[in-house]
Amino acid sequence: MNKLGIVLKGIIKENPVLVLMLGTCPTLATSTSAINGFGMGMCTMVVLICSNIVISILKNVIPDTVRIPCYIVVISGFVTVVQMLLQAYLPSLNQSLGLYIPLIVVNCIILGRAEMFASKNKVVDSALDGLGMGLGFTLTLTVMGLIREFFGSGTLFDFAVYGTGSISPMTIFTLAPGGFFVFACLIAFVNYFFGDAKKNKKKEFGCSGCSMVDSCSQVSCEEQGDKA
């Protein structure tokens, strides 16, 4: 895969939230406004890029038996730096995001990319993978935040759009049910317009799709399972 393809795949084709279904908790919790969604996405992207680079550099040094704890130590170091920078320069955003900044340490997007990509690829490719996945995550949170903020508060990036006159915002969009509704609509949108890639990944069920089919000359997989 070329360098541009590594970046672009994380935006739509392998979007970490809408396709891979990772990071759902911070997605729903921090996308109540566009600013919060964008801020959370950027923080996660910085940690994702930096941790991917370091893990790719150390992949031949870290023993396989303790690789997950080592990944978490690396990730937590960058999360601490990001949180300290937010506290120093963007205290209002840090207060809005609250606990979800330190929880980036256990974000399955970052740990998943470290395990599946950074630990198996070169430094530049790992950095580009982190950039692509981070952009996809940031874009998703920002779009969700825009939709929820517009319908739930009548604002966009804290600028009033409506709600001061006869039209009242639908505050349910700023609550959990509104978050799930917008999340489901975005997943449906991506699946409808960009779901062609999944057609190339058809899975076969039954004996024909079993890796043991060559050894099952006379007895079916189901019968072997019953004997086991």
Side-chain angles (χ1 to χ4, degrees):
M1 183 180 295
N2 57 40
K3 307 299 183 185
L4 182 60
I6 295 176
V7 176
L8 294 180
K9 71 176 183 179
I11 299 177
I12 292 294
K13 184 178 179 181
E14 295 184 16
N15 186 286
V17 180
L18 303 179
V19 177
L20 302 181
M21 298 298 174
L22 301 175
T24 304
C25 179
T27 298
L28 295 171
T30 62
S31 62
T32 53
S33 69
I35 292 178
N36 287 351
F38 180 77
M40 183 66 186
M42 291 299 296
C43 293
T44 304
M45 182 167 63
V46 170
V47 175
L48 186 54
I49 295 173
C50 295
S51 60
N52 269 17
I53 291 174
V54 172
I55 290 170
S56 180
I57 294 173
L58 301 178
K59 63 178 181 292
N60 295 324
V61 179
I62 299 175
D64 289 339
T65 53
V66 293
R67 66 185 187 282
I68 300 300
C70 291
Y71 296 165
I72 294 177
V73 170
V74 172
I75 295 168
S76 61
F78 288 113
V79 171
T80 301
V81 172
V82 168
Q83 186 174 24
M84 293 176 68
L85 290 174
L86 285 179
Q87 291 174 346
Y89 298 104
L90 296 171
S92 59
L93 179 61
N94 179 69
Q95 186 175 3
S96 297
L97 297 178
L99 184 63
Y100 290 97
I101 294 297
L103 282 178
I104 294 176
V105 175
V106 293
N107 191 317
C108 49
I109 297 174
I110 300 177
L111 192 58
R113 299 318 295 176
E115 174 70 11
M116 298 301 298
F117 196 94
S119 62
K120 300 178 177 65
N121 292 274
K122 298 179 180 179
V123 176
V124 176
D125 290 345
S126 299
L128 293 176
D129 178 76
L131 176 62
M133 291 293 168
L135 287 174
F137 185 65
T138 303
L139 180 62
T140 302
L141 263 67
T142 304
V143 171
M144 283 189 63
L146 284 170
I147 296 173
R148 296 179 66 184
E149 182 182 358
F150 177 78
F151 288 106
S153 303
T155 61
L156 288 176
F157 288 100
D158 289 341
F159 291 99
V161 178
Y162 69 94
T164 57
S166 59
I167 302 177
S168 299
M170 295 178 285
T171 55
I172 191 172
F173 276 91
T174 62
L175 304 177
F180 278 104
F181 177 75
V182 175
F183 186 47
C185 289
L186 289 179
I187 293 174
F189 176 84
V190 170
N191 286 337
Y192 183 80
F193 288 100
F194 304 99
D196 292 338
K198 294 185 177 181
K199 296 179 181 179
N200 298 325
K201 299 180 180 180
K202 292 181 180 180
K203 296 182 179 179
E204 295 183 355
F205 294 94
C207 291
S208 59
C210 179
S211 60
M212 300 278 296
V213 65
D214 293 333
S215 62
C216 300
S217 58
Q218 296 181 351
V219 184
S220 67
C221 295
E222 288 82 2
E223 291 174 350
Q224 284 190 357
D226 293 337
K227 291 181 179 180

